């Protein structure tokens, strides 16, 4: 890949992102937006690499086709688990592996080849959804910094995601709103206890219906 002084890196996400600030601090030429982009931007702004981190829009194929192996996403789940929205929440609801992944972008949602990922263990009794979310953010920011040079030069490893994993849409969270008693400050242990009680009640209801 050309070096960043021959073109620009397009960072899609929050303008207060520590990863955006870090890229600028090491001298990368970065253009930033949180808005939905058009394919023409790649040529007009001489974009040679794309980084998506917390970006709210689907990046279309006609954009990705212009940046083969040069468009990545930073996702706070241990892929293939918890693709899509609210990955931290669903990792506790579904009791699936927790962690972070950096992967290449493709036409799917969080389905591209893995570059690097890291599993994260939490001290559940002490944690809330907010504190675990923050830990995942710090972990993926550090992982990105450690691997950026190999990603940038396309010398990093890549491998397809293994297994189906799971996927959730933003609206899926609505069914759990009654369990988030303190919104994102809800205790993880209390959330898991509530889920377990709900599951036990459902099992009892099933047995009762069978006995009729």
């Amino acid at each position: 890949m050309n070096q960043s002084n021959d073109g620009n890196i397009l960072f899609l996400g929050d303008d207060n992102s520590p990863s955006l600030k870090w890229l600028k601090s090491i001298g990368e030429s970065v253009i930033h937006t949180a808005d939905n982009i058009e394919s023409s931007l790649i040529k007009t702004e001489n974009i040679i690499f794309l980084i998506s981190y917390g970006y709210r829009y689907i990046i279309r194929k006609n954009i990705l086709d212009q940046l083969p192996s040069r468009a990545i996403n930073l996702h706070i789940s241990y892929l293939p688990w918890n693709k899509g929205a609210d990955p931290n929440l669903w990792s506790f609801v579904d009791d699936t592996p927790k962690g972070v992944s950096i992967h290449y972008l493709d036409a799917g949602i969080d389905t591209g080849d893995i570059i690097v990922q890291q599993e994260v263990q939490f001290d559940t009794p002490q944690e809330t959804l907010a504190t675990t979310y923050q830990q995942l953010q710090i972990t993926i920011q550090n992982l990105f910094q450690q691997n950026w040079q190999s990603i940038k030069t396309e010398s990093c490893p890549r491998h397809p995601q293994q297994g189906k994993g799971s996927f959730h849409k933003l609206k899926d969270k609505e069914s759990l709103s009654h369990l988030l008693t303190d919104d994102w400050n809800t205790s993880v242990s209390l959330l898991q206890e509530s889920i377990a009680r709900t599951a036990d009640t459902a099992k009892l209801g099933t047995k009762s219906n069978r006995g009729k």
Side-chain angles (χ1 to χ4, degrees):
M1 179 187 124
N2 292 333
Q3 296 302 307
S4 61
N5 57 7
D6 295 328
N8 299 308
I9 296 166
L10 177 60
F11 187 96
L12 303 175
D14 191 339
D15 59 359
N16 290 317
S17 169
S19 293
L20 173 60
K21 295 176 180 178
W22 177 79
L23 284 167
K24 291 180 177 180
S25 75
I26 63 170
E28 300 287 11
S29 178
V30 186
I31 293 173
H32 161 262
T33 184
D35 298 330
N36 199 2
I37 61 170
E38 298 295 333
S39 61
S40 58
L41 180 71
I42 304 304
K43 287 187 177 179
T44 57
E45 296 294 345
N46 192 22
I47 302 301
I48 58 173
F49 207 99
L50 184 154
I51 300 168
S52 170
Y53 179 23
Y55 187 56
R56 298 299 181 183
Y57 301 94
I58 293 175
I59 301 168
R60 296 182 296 277
K61 185 176 183 297
N62 61 353
I63 295 172
L64 298 178
D65 285 346
Q66 299 179 64
L67 298 165
S69 298
R70 287 177 283 125
I72 65 169
N73 183 45
L74 280 60
H75 186 65
I76 55 168
S77 87
Y78 197 76
L79 293 171
W81 298 104
N82 302 305
K83 297 183 287 286
D86 301 308
N88 181 46
L89 169 64
W90 287 105
S91 74
F92 290 107
V93 172
D94 296 336
D95 193 22
T96 51
K98 299 150 184 64
V100 301
S101 305
I102 300 175
H103 66 94
Y104 285 106
L105 285 163
D106 63 10
I109 299 176
D110 303 325
T111 56
D113 289 353
I114 298 293
I115 298 170
V116 62
Q117 56 186 170
Q118 182 176 330
E119 197 162 0
V120 177
Q121 304 293 331
F122 296 114
D123 184 9
T124 302
Q126 308 299 322
E127 302 288 0
T128 67
L129 291 172
T131 60
T132 52
Y133 174 86
Q134 187 59 35
Q135 287 181 60
L136 292 174
Q137 296 291 355
I138 292 171
T139 300
I140 202 165
Q141 289 160 18
N142 289 337
L143 197 65
F144 173 68
Q145 292 183 23
Q146 293 162 10
N147 290 275
W148 169 238
Q149 287 304 317
S150 65
I151 294 171
K152 173 182 172 181
T153 58
E154 300 177 42
S155 59
C156 59
R158 68 184 294 169
H159 60 86
Q161 296 186 31
Q162 301 297 313
K164 183 178 179 181
S166 58
F167 170 82
H168 295 282
K169 296 180 179 179
L170 189 61
K171 66 180 181 180
D172 292 346
K173 186 180 67 176
E174 295 172 7
S175 65
L176 301 174
S177 58
H178 64 290
L179 299 178
L180 304 181
T181 54
D182 196 12
D183 198 27
W184 294 121
N185 290 315
T186 299
S187 163
V188 167
S189 58
L190 289 178
L191 173 65
Q192 292 177 321
E193 289 172 9
S194 297
I195 293 168
R197 283 197 300 271
T198 300
D200 289 342
T201 301
K203 289 178 183 178
L204 288 172
T206 301
K207 289 179 181 178
S208 176
N209 289 333
R210 287 175 179 172
K212 290 181 179 180

